Amino acid sequence: MARFGMEVAVDRARQAPKVTKMSEKANILVVDDNDVVRLSHFRSLASAHCSVEAVGNGSDALHAMEQRAFDVVLLDLRMPGMDGMAVLKAIKERWPESEVVIITGYPTIETAKEAVRLGAYDYLAKPVGPDEVINAANGAMMQKRWALHKERAGRQSAAN
């Protein structure tokens, strides 16, 4: 009986609509105008489990997003040109499946509320150490995986 149940589950999985799968290797974009901070985050995240790209401003971030799907974006708020809130808003409108972590040297309650309202996963105040950066990125990846799992489960139950 248990074997039959497993075969039914396998059949259902084959018949379920295909959901775009996130690769096991996380794609992370670091956006910060400060070279030292950008390189520090890049080095903290570069590993066998992450593919990391780093850019120095908001318009370069949006250009990078157009070229490649990023699972997680670590985003500075205060940058010349397009500020982090405008970038966050554009990312969540155009790529809502990407999780965004705000990392700012100028934290305020107002910007934290606005970032969450616009869809940021997390909001961190600089300085942040390597462990905090890694933990924030991992948390955002877990959130994305959970959201994809819920979407897949919803589609499977709708198909049944």
Side-chain angles (χ1 to χ4, degrees):
M1 185 72 165
R3 181 159 170 72
F4 176 74
M6 179 61 87
E7 289 170 358
V8 170
V10 169
D11 278 346
R12 284 186 183 153
R14 285 186 190 133
Q15 295 169 1
K18 297 292 181 202
V19 176
T20 304
K21 280 192 171 185
M22 185 175 60
S23 66
E24 290 300 319
K25 190 172 185 172
N27 291 315
I28 300 175
L29 178 63
V30 176
V31 186
D32 199 301
D33 62 318
N34 183 307
D35 294 339
V36 173
V37 171
R38 191 170 59 246
L39 183 59
S40 173
H41 294 344
F42 182 90
R43 286 184 175 160
S44 296
L45 293 166
S47 72
H49 301 293
C50 296
S51 174
V52 185
E53 188 172 325
V55 297
N57 61 58
S59 57
D60 286 351
L62 296 179
H63 180 71
M65 295 286 295
E66 289 170 355
Q67 303 304 309
R68 173 177 168 200
F70 287 95
D71 302 309
V72 177
V73 179
L74 302 181
L75 179 63
D76 187 20
L77 279 185
R78 284 200 183 172
M79 296 180 290
M82 182 180 245
D83 76 345
M85 284 297 183
V87 176
L88 170 60
K89 187 175 181 183
I91 289 172
K92 295 313 277 183
E93 285 174 358
R94 295 173 65 185
W95 303 280
E97 69 283 355
S98 294
E99 295 295 341
V100 179
V101 176
I102 301 294
I103 303 178
T104 182
Y106 303 93
T108 66
I109 296 295
E110 293 76 24
T111 58
K113 286 180 181 179
E114 181 68 4
V116 170
R117 187 185 70 75
L118 291 174
Y121 166 76
D122 204 351
Y123 184 97
L124 303 175
K126 291 179 184 174
V128 293
D131 289 342
E132 288 176 284
V133 171
I134 292 167
N135 288 339
N138 281 336
M141 283 301 301
M142 293 284 291
Q143 172 71 20
K144 180 169 181 169
R145 286 188 178 119
W146 180 245
L148 288 174
H149 172 76
K150 284 178 29 180
E151 181 182 330
R152 189 176 326 122
R155 286 184 182 176
Q156 285 177 345
S157 66
N160 292 334

